[in-house]
Amino acid sequence: MKHLFCCLVALGAWSGSVLADVPTDPLSWLARISNAAHKLNYTGTFTYQSGKNVETSRIAHLVDGTGEYERLEALDGSPREVVRNNDEVQCFLPDQKLLIVDQSSARRSFPARLPQSPSALAEHYRIRKGEVVRIVGMESQQIILEPKDDMRFGHQFWADVGSGLLLRARLVGEKGESIEQFAFTEVHVGAPFDKEKVKPRFVRSSDWKVVNARGSDVKVEDTGWVFKNSIPGFRQVVSVVRQGRKERGEAYHVVFSDGLAAISVFIEPMPAKNTLQSGMSSSGAFNIFRRTVSDHLITVLGEVPQQALVRIADGVETRKR
């Protein structure tokens, strides 16, 4: 009983010091969640669910004076692993003996779902605090973002009261349905820095193929394309030319984002044997819209309502010279 009393006293003192730093307004909470994802050391296992599809992954995220390091390992299906060293991303696909090298994209991965400066989100989302609930043994504060228009989905975040780390994130559709959800099933915050935890598990041998997927930055006005339709709050964050397959030539890739949602546009020469149908389709949480313009295939995709994709796609035209 004496040991139990000491533990309770210690926990009370610790929780009091933590709560003193807990923000009271939802925007400050978003900033705290964003900061925690990038500044804390953490390891854990989380699930991703979209429809009937459920996947489990293991993550290790470490930070020191030289930057951020992360290893994400898929635990279901074919083995695959993503290793990030600051802005460089390596994707290992051992079954295919393939290594894809890229740079960090505009799409944010769990638990780093929020932009580093989330205050601008209040212009296009109604942001409020929800309930405090218990997730993976931790008290967590719910933050709710409701879109002010029909061009984006809603978000629900649950963050550890003690550290601010995001424990669960849910994308919510126009009718309040869950489109996708990330959730830790176990997590340890404050892990000691150990570089071995973020090194790739797979060893690349000489028979592996290495694909450099990095794009070359290019200004939109130099591409021969123009985007006549815009969506309030979405700004261009990526504009690159990527080397496609030999038979298809270069592909132009531009990304528009409001800080949470991202819309990708791919413009590439029409393949000789095009089996892709124009119109709307979906893949998991992503909506996809395709159309053809001047012998080019325009593919617009994102975790946004269909009307947002159509609006962007309908405004893609060749630049008049």
Side-chain angles (χ1 to χ4, degrees):
M1 181 63 69
K2 178 180 178 181
H3 294 297
L4 176 61
F5 175 76
C6 292
C7 287
L8 290 175
V9 170
L11 285 172
W14 176 82
S15 62
S17 63
V18 167
L19 291 174
D21 297 327
V22 173
T24 57
D25 65 287
L27 263 179
S28 295
W29 257 107
L30 292 182
R32 186 173 187 239
I33 294 169
S34 175
N35 185 68
H38 295 284
K39 301 299 184 182
L40 296 179
N41 290 352
Y42 49 87
T43 59
T45 304
F46 66 85
T47 59
Y48 167 78
Q49 181 174 7
S50 177
K52 296 182 179 179
N53 179 48
V54 180
E55 299 176 356
T56 306
S57 300
R58 180 185 295 123
I59 189 172
H61 179 271
L62 301 176
V63 183
D64 69 358
T66 62
E68 287 185 73
Y69 303 90
E70 186 173 280
R71 182 168 72 90
L72 183 66
E73 178 186 4
L75 302 181
D76 303 323
S78 300
R80 54 202 185 279
E81 182 178 72
V82 178
V83 176
R84 180 167 70 90
N85 294 328
N86 291 313
D87 290 333
E88 182 185 80
V89 178
Q90 296 180 317
C91 180
F92 293 82
L93 303 173
D95 284 358
Q96 303 174 44
K97 294 186 177 180
L98 177 64
L99 170 62
I100 301 173
V101 181
D102 204 346
Q103 57 193 23
S104 295
S105 66
R107 184 169 184 256
R108 306 181 191 283
S109 58
F110 182 80
R113 300 290 285 173
L114 286 158
Q116 293 189 349
S117 299
S119 58
L121 296 174
E123 185 175 353
H124 301 284
Y125 295 88
R126 288 181 288 271
I127 306 172
R128 59 185 175 88
K129 291 171 65 176
E131 298 178 339
V132 175
V133 298
R134 191 168 170 81
I135 297 176
V136 290
M138 301 178 178
E139 293 294 306
S140 63
Q141 174 67 59
Q142 182 189 30
I143 304 295
I144 301 169
L145 289 83
E146 299 170 331
K148 295 181 179 179
D149 56 31
D150 62 353
M151 292 291 164
R152 60 206 91 210
F153 290 133
H155 296 264
Q156 297 176 0
F157 300 119
W158 289 264
D160 173 31
V161 171
S163 66
L165 184 67
L166 188 62
L167 302 178
R168 181 187 295 167
R170 181 181 294 157
L171 187 66
V172 182
E174 297 159 289
K175 298 180 180 179
E177 75 280 13
S178 178
I179 297 175
E180 69 174 5
Q181 176 174 275
F182 295 86
F184 273 115
T185 56
E186 63 89 16
V187 63
H188 175 65
V189 182
F193 188 91
D194 181 359
K195 201 67 174 286
E196 292 298 319
K197 293 181 179 179
V198 291
K199 286 185 177 180
R201 184 166 63 89
F202 301 106
V203 179
R204 178 174 63 88
S205 55
S206 59
D207 58 343
W208 278 52
K209 181 180 180 181
V210 180
V211 174
N212 187 350
R214 296 187 187 94
S216 301
D217 291 337
V218 61
K219 295 180 180 180
V220 174
E221 52 267 28
D222 295 334
T223 64
W225 295 93
V226 62
F227 299 86
K228 300 187 70 173
N229 295 345
S230 61
I231 298 176
F234 282 81
R235 63 181 184 87
Q236 177 202 311
V237 294
V238 172
S239 177
V240 297
V241 172
R242 300 184 185 276
Q243 183 60 50
R245 299 175 184 176
K246 291 182 179 179
E247 67 274 14
R248 298 178 67 171
E250 290 184 333
Y252 175 48
H253 181 202
V254 61
V255 180
F256 302 96
S257 176
D258 70 352
L260 277 177
I263 299 175
S264 282
V265 182
F266 294 91
I267 303 175
E268 54 190 332
M270 185 72 69
K273 295 182 179 179
N274 182 29
T275 59
L276 297 173
Q277 297 293 322
S278 297
M280 190 69 66
S281 61
S282 63
S283 177
F286 281 84
N287 284 320
I288 306 167
F289 184 72
R290 294 185 177 94
R291 65 185 288 250
T292 57
V293 177
S294 300
D295 297 325
H296 282 71
L297 178 65
I298 313 296
T299 303
V300 187
L301 60 92
E303 294 174 310
V304 294
Q306 295 181 0
Q307 56 266 26
L309 301 184
V310 173
R311 179 174 178 81
I312 293 295
D314 283 350
V316 179
E317 297 179 0
T318 53
R319 186 179 297 277
K320 296 180 180 180
R321 300 186 180 276

